[in-house]
Amino acid sequence: MISLTGSKVSLPVLKECTMSDLPVPIEPVIQIASEAGEAIMEIYRQDFEVFSKADSSPITLADKRSNDIITHGLKELSPAIPVISEESRQTPYAIRKTWDWVWIVDPLDGTKEFVSKNGEFTVNIGLVYRGKPVAGVVLIPLTGVCYYAFGESSFKRVPGEKAIRLNRQLRHYTQKTKLKVVASRSHLTEEVKQFVRTLQDEGKEVELVTSGSSVKFCIVAEGEADVYPRFGPTMEWDTAAAHAIATAAGRKVIRADNRQPLVYNKESMLNPWFIVE
């Protein structure tokens, strides 16, 4: 185990991040996500009030309780690794840019789905090393299904069942004649529709399905969909954990404009448009 003493974790550059390279074990992170999921579901089963943030996006007591559980749990688990969370005050970039390791968290991804009670919301906890997601946990509170990854290994765990490793050997969507495209339920843009039309013009038979939150990454990671184009705004906490899961499962998460990987802990935490393939 790597020492966590001092103001930050300082490690050599990692060529490949394996379980032994991580400064924390993954199981306690899964447990933190599960506890946050339980708190979310307590509120989900009740009548709850919906508030608006400054950007007019919704927030509920579930977001706040989940955030408290996760930030407290991560600080207890790894006191030297800072936490960036959607629901916490952000540290100035002048300080953030000095961090090698950082947790990037969305305590309730898909608040719109939570409010509409369709079950498509997640808890996202991602660990980033020098801009690259190297571990992640995505929990679906409604079902208890958990996707998680560290280094080159990515798994899906269904409650009461043994975790299964996700297959890294799936064919790229461009090599298929029949394929499934997954897109955002709440943010289905005209550009995504054009992406689908282009594939159809190439003679491909395309099924378009929609889903909320970071579940879309996980659907591609496990091979239940072939590609996820996101041509609209997202933030780093929306994607960091699921990005780690997708790449550890052999997929790519690339910018739509230059096909380079998404980078994290940037000065602006707004993501460019991207494709998970």
Side-chain angles (χ1 to χ4, degrees):
M1 180 67 64
I2 297 166
S3 172
L4 294 176
T5 58
S7 60
K8 68 174 182 176
V9 175
S10 180
L11 294 174
V13 174
L14 305 176
K15 293 182 180 179
E16 292 186 359
C17 184
T18 66
M19 187 64 167
S20 61
D21 293 318
L22 294 179
V24 292
I26 198 72
E27 285 296 335
V29 184
I30 295 173
Q31 181 59 37
I32 291 169
S34 296
E35 292 174 5
E38 290 172 3
I40 288 170
M41 290 307 299
E42 287 180 6
I43 297 169
Y44 184 77
R45 297 186 184 101
Q46 306 171 12
D47 292 331
F48 53 83
E49 195 169 357
V50 181
F51 304 93
S52 292
K53 294 192 284 189
D55 62 359
S56 299
S57 62
I59 186 172
T60 69
L61 180 59
D63 297 78
K64 297 177 181 180
R65 285 191 180 171
S66 177
N67 188 61
D68 290 345
I69 290 168
I70 294 170
T71 54
H72 176 78
L74 292 178
K75 288 175 182 177
E76 288 287 313
L77 179 66
S78 54
I81 302 180
V83 178
I84 295 173
S85 172
E86 179 181 13
E87 305 306 341
S88 298
R89 175 177 289 185
Q90 301 308 313
T91 302
Y93 182 66
I95 298 172
R96 285 195 290 111
K97 69 180 181 180
T98 68
W99 297 344
D100 285 339
W101 292 86
V102 59
W103 295 106
I104 300 185
V105 171
D106 192 339
L108 178 49
D109 182 27
T111 302
K112 289 183 179 179
E113 318 305 331
F114 178 85
V115 171
S116 64
K117 294 201 171 185
N118 68 16
E120 295 174 353
F121 49 89
T122 58
V123 173
N124 301 341
I125 304 176
L127 180 61
V128 169
Y129 174 68
R130 295 188 177 179
K132 178 182 177 181
V134 294
V137 174
V138 171
L139 177 85
I140 305 174
L142 185 67
T143 62
V145 171
C146 182
Y147 297 86
Y148 61 97
F150 50 86
E152 298 296 312
S153 301
S154 190
F155 298 87
K156 178 182 180 180
R157 182 184 294 169
V158 176
E161 299 180 14
K162 184 178 179 181
I164 59 171
R165 187 165 184 171
L166 301 185
N167 182 6
R168 295 180 55 86
Q169 306 302 321
L170 299 178
R171 285 192 298 158
H172 193 267
Y173 77 95
T174 56
Q175 299 173 329
K176 295 185 174 184
T177 56
K178 294 183 178 181
L179 57 95
K180 185 180 291 186
V181 176
V182 62
S184 172
R185 183 180 302 281
S186 300
H187 306 279
L188 182 59
T189 62
E190 182 57 37
E191 290 83 359
V192 171
K193 294 177 184 178
Q194 182 57 51
F195 179 89
V196 171
R197 287 194 290 266
T198 299
L199 292 173
Q200 292 171 329
D201 290 344
E202 295 171 355
K204 298 184 184 296
E205 183 178 327
V206 181
E207 178 185 357
L208 177 64
V209 296
T210 58
S211 179
S213 72
S214 60
V215 170
K216 297 182 288 295
F217 281 80
C218 300
I219 292 172
V220 176
E222 65 179 318
E224 292 299 314
D226 300 289
V227 59
Y228 164 34
R230 182 56 183 254
F231 302 154
T234 59
M235 302 299 291
E236 291 186 14
W237 41 74
D238 297 318
T239 61
H243 183 154
I245 291 161
T247 54
R251 316 298 173 254
K252 293 181 179 179
V253 182
I254 55 172
R255 293 175 54 135
D257 57 353
N258 61 14
R259 295 191 62 82
Q260 294 300 304
L262 294 190
V263 176
Y264 291 81
N265 193 24
K266 309 181 304 300
E267 183 169 7
S268 168
M269 300 196 74
L270 179 69
N271 288 324
W273 291 5
F274 63 86
I275 301 172
V276 184
E277 58 180 37

